[in-house]
Amino acid sequence: MDLELRHLKTIRAIADAGSLTRAATVLGLAQPALSAQLKRIERALGGTLFERGRDGVRATALGDLVLDRARVVLPAVCELQEEAVRFARQGTGGYRLGGTHGPLLGGLVDRLARTEPGAQVTTYTSWSEREIARGVAAGRLDFALVGVCGESGPPEAGRLAWTEVARDPVHVMLAADHPLAGRAEIELAELAAEAWSDVPGDGCFGDCFAAACVRAGFTPACVYETDTASCVHLVQVGRAVGLCRATFPATPGLVIRPLAGTPLVWRHLLGWHPEGRAASRAAAVLAHARAAHTDALTRSAAHTPAPAVPHAAAVPVRASGAVRASGTVRDQAVSGT
């Protein structure tokens, strides 16, 4: 039997898991099938790779040798595949854009389509900034339009080039009839009794929000993590309040207000592979993304002035009647929001 990459992956999975049982679960195999495969691999390599014990398996000297080589070979082959994909797509035209949900991606598509009507523009959206960044690193996408909280680093920072498109304060969105809707700005501590709505994600915004709440003297009692439309609905009906970017579009039944002292900041980022086909067009795309951000701010709900409400500062925050829900807090809804 010739040794194949899948065999090296199997050996590495067994070593990482520490037992055949756990490795079989990770690999999606039955344990007897994995044991039989390991025996075939050991015969091909001429010796035992793992010793079994009560606590699982331990690599032999031969196993350590093979593992050392596998940890070099497998990443190198993965990098080769990614470079081959990028090279094969060098001659294709158009723009392949990836982004989280929000108005900037649509604005960028519109500007590219208007300035280059003959170019094909395709999009891919995900809640996961990491997934989008991996798509650019692998050559499946040309540009990533994502965001990070405060000064946090972007995903795939060592492989992609990143530039800041814009930096916005994070605002709060309230029902139009919320007691604090008339305020020009709101203290985060004044929302301590509220339930919150937000969308899923894999960035650090949830931790940043939780830390900001602790600094304000409270812990969020309830967070509804759901899709953007449901987040907006929960705010409209007064079941929750939400966090959003300054580019959140004007929406009936909602008002957007800044948080006093700007406890949270959102950075919009554009990323590309420095050796990919998109590198030569990055400056032009960045200019379009910044213009799209300016357009989004002009249309945003954050530019809607607060109505005049007598003695608004004296109006107490209403208590939330929501039940506790699990979830983590993150960008835009902090989303298409």
Side-chain angles (χ1 to χ4, degrees):
M1 182 186 74
D2 293 331
L3 189 66
E4 301 176 12
L5 285 176
R6 62 187 179 92
H7 298 143
L8 293 181
K9 292 179 180 178
T10 296
I11 295 169
R12 187 179 64 179
I14 295 172
D16 291 344
S19 78
L20 290 180
T21 300
R22 289 192 292 270
T25 300
V26 171
L27 295 169
L29 299 173
Q31 183 176 337
L34 179 59
S35 297
Q37 185 181 76
L38 177 59
K39 289 180 181 178
R40 291 194 296 270
I41 295 171
E42 290 176 328
R43 283 198 298 269
L45 294 174
T48 301
L49 300 178
F50 296 98
E51 295 177 347
R52 299 194 190 196
R54 288 185 176 181
D55 298 327
V57 298
R58 183 170 59 87
T60 63
L62 176 60
D64 284 333
L65 173 66
V66 175
L67 284 167
D68 286 343
R69 299 298 190 273
R71 293 186 178 108
V72 173
V73 170
L74 291 175
V77 171
C78 180
E79 184 177 353
L80 171 61
Q81 290 174 326
E82 293 176 355
E83 289 181 357
V85 169
R86 285 195 297 270
F87 182 84
R89 293 173 174 172
Q90 289 290 327
T92 60
Y95 298 87
R96 299 167 301 167
L97 311 176
T100 49
H101 301 250
L104 294 196
L105 182 59
L108 178 57
V109 170
D110 178 51
R111 296 186 67 85
L112 289 173
R114 280 191 283 118
T115 56
E116 298 185 42
Q120 182 184 25
V121 181
T122 60
T123 60
Y124 176 80
T125 59
S126 171
W127 300 119
S128 171
E129 291 95 346
R130 297 175 190 172
E131 180 185 355
I132 294 168
R134 286 195 297 266
V136 176
R140 295 188 297 272
L141 297 169
D142 296 322
F143 292 97
L145 188 61
V146 302
V148 296
C149 179
E151 300 303 319
S152 300
E156 299 288 344
R159 305 175 68 188
L160 302 183
W162 291 96
T163 297
E164 184 174 296
V165 175
R167 182 182 296 240
D168 291 327
V170 174
H171 289 5
V172 62
M173 60 180 175
L174 313 165
D177 62 351
H178 191 284
L180 296 178
R183 293 282 193 85
E185 66 176 16
I186 298 170
E187 295 282 350
L188 182 59
E190 294 179 287
L191 302 169
E194 298 284 352
W196 298 82
S197 67
D198 211 358
V199 297
D202 54 11
C204 68
F205 189 84
D207 293 336
C208 294
F209 172 61
C213 292
V214 170
R215 290 193 297 270
F218 72 97
T219 299
C222 173
V223 176
Y224 297 105
E225 186 180 80
T226 183
D227 61 276
T228 304
S230 295
C231 285
V232 170
H233 176 74
L234 288 171
V235 175
Q236 287 172 322
V237 300
R239 184 60 60 185
V241 299
L243 295 167
C244 66
R245 306 168 191 168
T247 51
F248 184 83
T251 304
L254 294 183
V255 296
I256 307 299
R257 298 292 177 255
L259 290 168
T262 314
L264 295 165
V265 173
W266 189 253
R267 294 165 56 222
H268 303 273
L269 302 177
L270 182 73
W272 63 91
H273 197 289
E275 298 177 2
R277 66 171 194 168
S280 62
R281 298 177 288 171
V285 174
L286 176 62
H288 285 309
R290 286 175 172 165
H293 176 266
T294 300
D295 292 342
L297 278 180
T298 302
R299 299 189 304 269
S300 72
H303 280 64
T304 302
V309 178
H311 309 295
V315 178
V317 178
R318 58 183 173 182
S320 168
V323 295
R324 183 172 182 82
S326 63
T328 57
V329 183
R330 88 167 210 104
D331 102 285
Q332 289 277 79
V334 175
S335 100
T337 50

